Amino acid sequence: MKTHDLIVIGAGPGGYTAAIRAAQLGLDVACIDKEPLLGGTCLRIGCIPSKALLESSELYREAGKSFAQHGIELGEVGLDLAKMLSRKERIVKALTMGVASLLKKNKITSYTGTARLVGDKRLTVTTAEGDEELSAAHILIATGSRPATLPGVELDGDRIGTSTETLSYGEVPPRLVVIGAGYIGLELGTVWQRLGSEVTVLEYLDRILPGTDGEIAGEAQKLFKKQGLNFRLGSQVSGARVAGDHCVVECVGVDPIECDRVLVAVGRKPNSHGLGLETVGVKLNDKDFISVDEQFKTSSPGVYAVGDVIGGAMLAHKAEDEAVACIEQIVNGTGDIDYNAIPSVAYTNPEIAAVGKTEESLQAAGIEFRKGVFPFRANGRARALAQMDGFVKILADAATDRLLGVHILGPRAGDLIAEAVLAIKHGLTATDIAHCSHAHPTLSETFREAALAVHDRAIHI
Ligand code: NAI
C-alpha cells in the first residue's frame, strides 16, 4: 500500500491549491480526480469556459451594435459559432494542462480515478487499471458541487440541461428559457441573448441575484432588460419537458412557455455521496454539505474538507482561500479566513462585484452607516470606453468611517473590487481611500470619488 503525508480528493481550485501549498510546505502529496482534465468544474465546465464565451459574445454584440459609434464600419457581422466554441475549448485545454504541469512541478503524485474512503486513513482509488489502496496521515476532501435541479424538470442532457450543456450548444437556440436569475442564469443567458437567442429568465423571487445589494440588482435588471433579456419574476417553475421538436416549461398559475432549449440554473448541490464518508464517520449537515470546524476538520480525525462541498459561497477563490488556510493549519497550526472580505463577481455587462455587507443587511443589523455613491457616467475613462452605466457604492461605518461594504455595477467591476477587498480586509476608512492617489484617467477614480462622496466631498459630481 502506498503511503503519502496528504491525499487530496478533487483537483478543482480547492483541491489543486491545497496540494500545491502542502507540497510547498514539504509534505508528500497525492491528488486524485476522476477526470483526466484537471482543474475541476471551474476550469472544465464553469468559470473559465463561461468567461471565454462571455468575452466572445460581447465582442460579437459590440461589433454589430457599438463599433459604429467609434466610427468603425464593419458591414454585416457574421457568427462562426463552431470557431467560437473551439476557441473556448482551447482555453480550457491550455489551463487544465497548466494545472497538470503545476502538480508535476511540485512533485505531487496524480491519480486519475474515483476515490473512496475505506477505513481510518485509508482509501481506494479505482482507475482504468483497477483498484489501488492508499493511505495518508491526512485526507482532504475537495470534491466540489454539481448543478441542482427541480422536481418535475426532466433533464435530458441536451435540450433541457444545466450550465454544462449550455456551454456547448451547437447552434444558437431561437428561444431559450433560463430557470433562475442567479449568477449562472444571468451570465449564460446573456451569452446566448447576445448571439441572437430570445431569452426569457424565470425567477421565483421578485428580484434577480438574491443576496446581492438590492439597489445594484434593481439597476442591473433594468440594464439587462434594455439589452434584450426578458424577465418573469415571481415565476415558480413546476416542470419542464421535451415535447416533439420543442420544450415546454410549466410555471404555477400561468400558461406553459414553449421554447427550444432550457437552462436550469437553480443552484448547486455538494458532491458528498459515494465517497465512503460513512465508513469513517464523516458527518453531513441537513443539506448534505460536509460539516467542518474552523480548521476544516470533519468529525473524523485526519479527514478535512474545503470548497463547495462544505457550503457557503460557491466560489473558486473561496475554495482556494480555504485550501491554503486548511493546509497551513495542518502544517503550522495557524491559518484562517475572513469570509467578510471574500468578493463576488457576476461577469455580465456591466459586471457586478461586491465585498462586505449589503445596505439591507446593515439596516437589518441596526448598524449606522454613511453611503457614498459615484456614477461611471461622471468618469472620463468610462466615457472613452463608451461604458457609462452603473455606479460605485461605498458603505462606511458612521462612527469609525471603516468600510463595511462595497458594491459596484459597471465596467471591469470584477477588477475594481480588488481595492475594496484590500480596504475591508485591513480595516481601512473611506478617508484612507480618499487620501490615495488614483491614476487619471482610469476607472479606479470612481472608487476614490465614492469614498469622497461618503463625506459629501466628491469632486466630479
Ligand atoms: P444561484 O443560487 O445563484 O441562483 C439560483 C436562482 O434560481 C435563485 O435566484 C433562485 O431564487 C432561483 N430559483 C430557485 N428555484 C426556482 C424555481 N422553482 N423557479 C424559478 N426560479 C427558481 O444559483 P446558480 O446561478 O445556479 O449558481 C450556482 C452557484 O454557482 C452559486 O452559488 C454561484 O455563486 C456560483 N457561481 C458563481 C459565479 C461567479 O462567481 N461569477 C458564476 C456561476 C456560478
Side-chain angles (χ1 to χ4, degrees), residues 319-390:
E320 289 176 27
D321 290 355
E322 289 178 343
V324 171
C326 172
I327 296 301
E328 292 188 349
Q329 280 285 353
I330 292 173
V331 179
N332 299 325
T334 56
D336 59 3
I337 297 209
D338 181 355
Y339 284 101
N340 191 47
I342 293 185
S344 61
V345 182
Y347 296 86
T348 45
N349 187 355
E351 292 181 351
I352 302 167
V355 62
K357 305 277 186 255
T358 61
E359 205 169 326
E360 293 84 354
S361 68
L362 291 176
Q363 277 158 356
I367 297 171
E368 299 225 351
F369 61 90
R370 293 181 66 94
K371 174 171 158 180
V373 174
F374 190 81
F376 280 94
R377 76 184 139 71
N379 173 267
R381 190 67 189 278
R383 280 202 178 252
L385 287 168
Q387 292 188 39
M388 293 168 295
D389 289 326

Side-chain angles (χ1 to χ4, degrees), residues 291-323:
S291 301
V292 293
D293 67 10
E294 281 179 0
Q295 298 168 359
F296 306 99
K297 288 178 178 160
T298 69
S299 47
S300 174
V303 182
Y304 306 78
V306 297
D308 283 10
V309 78
I310 66 167
M314 290 186 158
L315 303 169
H317 49 280
K318 174 254 190 195
E320 289 176 27
D321 290 355
E322 289 178 343

Side-chain angles (χ1 to χ4, degrees), residues 46-47 50-51 145 148 150 179-187 202-205 207-210 235-238 264-268 308 312-317 344-347:
C47 321
S50 61
K51 261 77 269 174
S145 63
L150 295 169
I179 308 176
Y183 282 77
I184 295 181
L186 291 179
E187 288 183 2
L202 306 176
E203 168 56 49
Y204 175 69
L205 301 174
R207 54 162 294 172
I208 67 168
L209 291 170
S235 297
Q236 187 183 352
V237 174
S238 53
V264 183
V266 293
R268 300 180 63 85
D308 283 10
M314 290 186 158
L315 303 169
H317 49 280
S344 61
V345 182
Y347 296 86

Side-chain angles (χ1 to χ4, degrees), residues 118-432:
V118 289
D120 185 34
K121 304 193 186 329
R122 284 185 304 120
L123 57 78
T124 56
V125 50
T126 305
T127 67
E129 286 82 44
D131 283 6
E132 187 169 352
E133 194 158 330
L134 305 174
S135 77
H138 309 284
I139 295 173
L140 172 60
I141 302 165
T143 45
S145 63
R146 62 190 188 285
T149 185
L150 295 169
V153 173
E154 298 165 16
L155 297 179
D156 73 343
D158 179 23
R159 281 191 282 166
I160 302 184
T162 65
S163 45
T164 308
E165 290 77 26
T166 309
L167 287 165
S168 297
Y169 292 159
E171 76 292 329
V172 179
R175 297 162 303 174
L176 170 65
V177 164
V178 174
I179 308 176
Y183 282 77
I184 295 181
L186 291 179
E187 288 183 2
L188 292 181
T190 304
V191 164
W192 293 101
Q193 186 269 326
R194 290 172 186 163
L195 297 180
S197 297
E198 188 190 324
V199 177
T200 303
V201 182
L202 306 176
E203 168 56 49
Y204 175 69
L205 301 174
D206 60 1
R207 54 162 294 172
I208 67 168
L209 291 170
T212 306
D213 186 273
E215 190 181 7
I216 292 267
E219 187 60 26
Q221 192 196 332
K222 277 189 221 152
L223 294 173
F224 300 152
K225 198 171 160 205
K226 224 159 76 186
Q227 288 166 14
L229 279 184
N230 303 307
F231 288 98
R232 293 203 197 171
L233 303 183
S235 297
Q236 187 183 352
V237 174
S238 53
R241 63 194 152 79
V242 173
D245 63 353
H246 61 271
C247 309
V248 176
V249 181
E250 278 142 11
C251 289
V252 174
V254 292
D255 288 341
I257 304 167
E258 209 179 276
C259 60
D260 304 289
R261 284 189 183 269
V262 180
L263 161 60
V264 183
V266 293
R268 300 180 63 85
K269 50 187 183 184
N271 290 328
S272 55
H273 288 275
L275 291 164
L277 299 184
E278 59 293 344
T279 61
V280 292
V282 172
K283 290 207 181 88
L284 306 182
N285 71 13
D286 59 346
K287 296 214 163 76
D288 276 354
F289 291 101
I290 295 178
S291 301
V292 293
D293 67 10
E294 281 179 0
Q295 298 168 359
F296 306 99
K297 288 178 178 160
T298 69
S299 47
S300 174
V303 182
Y304 306 78
V306 297
D308 283 10
V309 78
I310 66 167
M314 290 186 158
L315 303 169
H317 49 280
K318 174 254 190 195
E320 289 176 27
D321 290 355
E322 289 178 343
V324 171
C326 172
I327 296 301
E328 292 188 349
Q329 280 285 353
I330 292 173
V331 179
N332 299 325
T334 56
D336 59 3
I337 297 209
D338 181 355
Y339 284 101
N340 191 47
I342 293 185
S344 61
V345 182
Y347 296 86
T348 45
N349 187 355
E351 292 181 351
I352 302 167
V355 62
K357 305 277 186 255
T358 61
E359 205 169 326
E360 293 84 354
S361 68
L362 291 176
Q363 277 158 356
I367 297 171
E368 299 225 351
F369 61 90
R370 293 181 66 94
K371 174 171 158 180
V373 174
F374 190 81
F376 280 94
R377 76 184 139 71
N379 173 267
R381 190 67 189 278
R383 280 202 178 252
L385 287 168
Q387 292 188 39
M388 293 168 295
D389 289 326
F391 55 92
V392 178
K393 163 163 142 179
I394 293 182
L395 307 170
D397 190 292
T400 66
D401 197 34
R402 283 189 172 177
L403 266 56
L404 299 172
V406 177
H407 305 272
I408 307 177
L409 169 71
R412 299 287 165 195
D415 295 310
L416 294 175
I417 202 72
E419 189 179 359
V421 172
L422 194 70
I424 288 195
K425 170 98 181 156
H426 294 285
L428 300 187
T429 63
T431 309
D432 290 330

Side-chain angles (χ1 to χ4, degrees), residues 83-103:
K83 206 164 174 178
M84 198 178 272
L85 295 178
S86 67
R87 171 185 175 273
K88 173 205 72 172
E89 293 303 330
R90 277 200 309 281
I91 293 168
V92 168
K93 196 158 174 223
L95 287 171
T96 56
M97 282 166 63
V99 173
S101 71
L102 285 174
L103 295 191

